Amino acid sequence: MIKKKGKFLTFLFALIPGAGQMYMGFMKLGVSLMGMFALVICISSWLDFSSFIFLLPIIWCYAFFDAIHKNSLTDEEFYALEDHYCVSHETIESVKHAFNGKERQVISIVLILIGVDILWKNFFWLLQDIMPWFIYNQIYSLVYRVPQVLIACIVIYVGYHLMKKKKMDLFEKFDPKE
């Protein structure tokens, strides 16, 4: 049952992702937020992919501020709210339609890089058992930096093209032929 609660207890429960929503009676939303938070932790630890953890503060902040915001609404606005899951069939369909063309290519490249990174780490984990430690340690030190160097190159490439596009936009804006 959705019911407006006291501000202090809502604040305390809002510190746990999804608990503030559940405390106010938004069970579907609270469980889905709590589940997403736990899923990110499980996937990142299971796959040993710590880069995935950047989603945790995003989910936490959304859950925290959503609970505080809902509790600060007027009674009329609060009781007009409906409980829903974070991810629904409609959300998935809208995301599918939103990512066409270049966005789809970028997402697929990112997913491929994530997969290669996971395979890379597991491959080196297997090498640890068959290589002498000093050779493995040298190779691992070298390979450890490859993802960071790759990301740095991508950032530089994107920055360069953004700057180049901005320059082209300026030239088109002040074209003397017009």
Side-chain angles (χ1 to χ4, degrees), residues 47-96:
L47 295 177
D48 192 28
F49 190 64
S50 58
S51 300
F52 203 53
I53 291 179
F54 82 92
L55 292 172
L56 291 178
I58 295 169
I59 296 169
W60 185 88
C61 286
Y62 176 81
F64 178 79
F65 290 112
D66 181 65
I68 299 300
H69 171 72
K70 279 185 169 69
N71 199 35
S72 67
L73 294 173
T74 64
D75 288 342
E76 184 179 290
E77 292 171 328
F78 181 82
Y79 291 114
L81 294 175
E82 292 182 27
D83 190 18
H84 54 35
Y85 292 106
C86 282
V87 180
S88 64
H89 180 68
E90 293 84 24
T91 308
I92 294 170
E93 288 301 317
S94 66
V95 168
K96 280 183 186 177

Side-chain angles (χ1 to χ4, degrees), residues 94-108:
S94 66
V95 168
K96 280 183 186 177
H97 293 296
F99 293 115
N100 289 326
K102 288 187 179 184
E103 294 89 2
R104 179 174 269 166
Q105 287 177 333
V106 169
I107 290 173
S108 52

Side-chain angles (χ1 to χ4, degrees), residues 4 7 21 23 27 46 51 60 68-69 80 103 109 114 118 127-128 135 163 168 171 176:
K4 200 164 183 182
K7 292 189 182 299
Q21 287 80 0
Y23 174 66
M27 293 298 175
W46 178 49
S51 300
W60 185 88
I68 299 300
H69 171 72
E103 294 89 2
I109 289 170
I114 289 170
I118 293 168
L127 284 180
Q128 180 181 9
I135 294 174
M163 189 169 59
M168 295 302 288
F171 284 128

Side-chain angles (χ1 to χ4, degrees), residues 27-45:
M27 293 298 175
K28 291 177 183 177
L29 181 59
V31 166
S32 60
L33 286 169
M34 199 174 280
M36 283 192 320
F37 195 81
L39 185 67
V40 168
I41 292 171
C42 289
I43 288 174
S44 61
S45 64

